[in-house]
Amino acid sequence: MSRGFLLSDLLGRWVSDAAGRELGRLRDLAVSPGRGGEVVGVLVRRRGRPDLRLPSSAVESIGDGGIVVRETARAGQPGEWLLLGRDVLDAQVIDVSRRRLARVGDVLLTADPPPLRVDQVDVGLGAVARRLGLRRLSRRLPDDVVAWRDLHLASGVGHALQLATPDATVHHLGADELAEVVARLPRERGRALLARVGRDPAERVRSRLRRRPRRRRFRRALRRGGDAAP
Amino acid sequence: MRRRSLIALAAVVGPGLLAGLSDDDPAGITTYSILGADYGYRLLWLLLLSTAALIVFHELGARMGVCTGQGLLGLVRERYGVRWAAFAMALLLVANVGTVCAEFAGVAAAGELAGVPRWIGVPLAAAGVSILVLRGSFHRVEHVLLALSLIFVSYIVSGLLAHPDWRAVGEGLVVPHLPLERQALVAAVATVGTTLAPWGLAFIQSYAADKRLRVSDLRYERVDVVVGAVMTGVIGLFVVVACAATLHASGQSIHDARDAAEALRPLAGSAASALFGLGLLGAGLLAAAVLPLSTAYSVSDALGYEAGIDDSFREARVFYLTYAVAVACGAAAVVAPGVPLVSILYLSQALNALLLVPLLVMAYGICRDRTLMGELTLGPLARVAALATIVLIAACVLALAVLTVS
């Protein structure tokens, strides 16, 4: 496992054990928000039976022919799992570094060095074109990737799990950046975010949003170098 | 407390009214005019049915927009994957641009009634709606569009000037009656179909999200949706009534809304005719602004780009370019000689019908998804209402397809 993988290529691939016995197809990969982008679990869809949950350590190889695992290992309850296919792929994200709203076209994983982990997400049109089978077009379109650590997930599960993670990027933002993130989130999620950052920072963000309630004016002021983050 | 509620309602009003009233576009006015001219007051009950369906339909859209802060095609992509989103986007794009042609054709017809040639009226209208959205802030755009909606009052006045038989109107509204003949069935399903459009659902959801309505605003937004849908039905009713009281009574038949305005002159006076034409202009302008907006929201949502009227061009290029291209194509098709406008309109109507049911089914699936909708997931009663609406619309689409082909 020395090269990078695209999540959209992996989902649906056959998963088999070391003896070559097919176990099912890859349903999803799980990451734990508290452990960066490290893949912690593998979900295998089996016909007529419940999904098989395996720890990522059970994965022996990922190749063009499929994914080989050790079936004997079993993962624990996926209570805190963020599922990359369900909660990240095609979900809305906030690119904190470039202060923009985007949608995940694909998830780029790497196992170099191990363990398997999420490296970046592709939010560009090229990823969409590739997944639609328009490979020639996708090669002409520029990549638009965002580092995993610079993302704040706007999907329901992703947002909640990231908020609950103390070292998530949003917890380390200044008032201006945080105001920018809150301004882009649906109102309820923005409120949940402010509830987590503490009373004083939240009040600073609110005062910035109150003073410039509409986004266009707010961003112009930011570009002019208006209020600096405290 | 009451005053506070009214202020909160006033702040929320917009998505429901605009999405509803823009459904009374020139194509809708034409359908209502033909319904009144050919069948008098007898099929008025259909408007009650379509109004009820519109309320259910738009409530779903508003609920999704308020709860998730995302547009319809964005949610389709999140829940059903990129292929379904791309499929819906492609159909919606073609259907919407075709329908924008119909809106500008309505503007052209209204202009020509007043003696303004289409090569002047249509480019002016296109420039007007483009400048409004490209240069205006969210609130300014909303205020102008809501002010434009006031023109629809002209249909009510026009209907009153036609001196309708109110007893027959009441009977037509509450006693369902449908002649079992092909033309009447086509008129019936077209009436229900013209009120409900995929772009309307996409618009109300994205617009509610763009307005950044909160979950606590939803109860006011529901009032907005109901008022918008009822206003849409009332305006449709007055169009039918105006044509029923004059054209049907004198045995005249018409082909479009412009015919109706012209035919009203000797029967109900020049004021009624002028007001009917003015209403057609307002309907065309409102829909010519709202439809490209719906298209721009949908394309941006599906492809994952920023979409907001308050965003600058630099921040939301795809959004503004889609808007500009939709307006330019619609206006050019009406002005340019040799463009097969009738074929374009026919194709766009067919695509709208083709897209409507799958989009509704997907919207229903999204609204039942607790992960996406949380506490606003559809309850049992709302599920029954939504399913009944989907079945009604699917039956109408199927009936229209069978009647058109046979």
Side-chain angles (χ1 to χ4, degrees), chain A residues 121-195:
Chain A
V121 299
D122 191 338
V123 296
L125 207 51
V128 174
R130 187 176 58 246
R131 287 172 62 204
L132 291 173
L134 307 169
R135 297 213 168 247
R136 193 175 287 182
L137 174 65
S138 78
R139 280 194 287 270
R140 287 166 188 253
L141 295 166
D143 286 340
D144 190 355
V145 294
V146 184
W148 179 247
R149 65 177 176 280
D150 287 338
L151 284 182
H152 181 75
L153 295 168
S155 63
V157 176
H159 173 70
L161 283 178
Q162 272 196 319
L163 275 193
T165 310
D167 61 349
T169 313
V170 285
H171 296 306
H172 305 287
L173 297 175
D176 279 338
E177 290 93 345
L178 205 52
E180 186 73 5
V181 171
V182 171
R184 284 153 187 282
L185 280 169
R187 293 286 276 263
E188 263 51 47
R189 297 206 177 127
R191 196 175 289 173
L193 175 53
L194 288 184

Side-chain angles (χ1 to χ4, degrees), chain B residues 373-392:
Chain B
M373 300 296 293
E375 63 187 49
L376 290 182
T377 308
L378 281 187
L381 210 65
R383 279 211 295 267
V384 170
L387 275 178
T389 309
I390 292 172
V391 169
L392 169 75

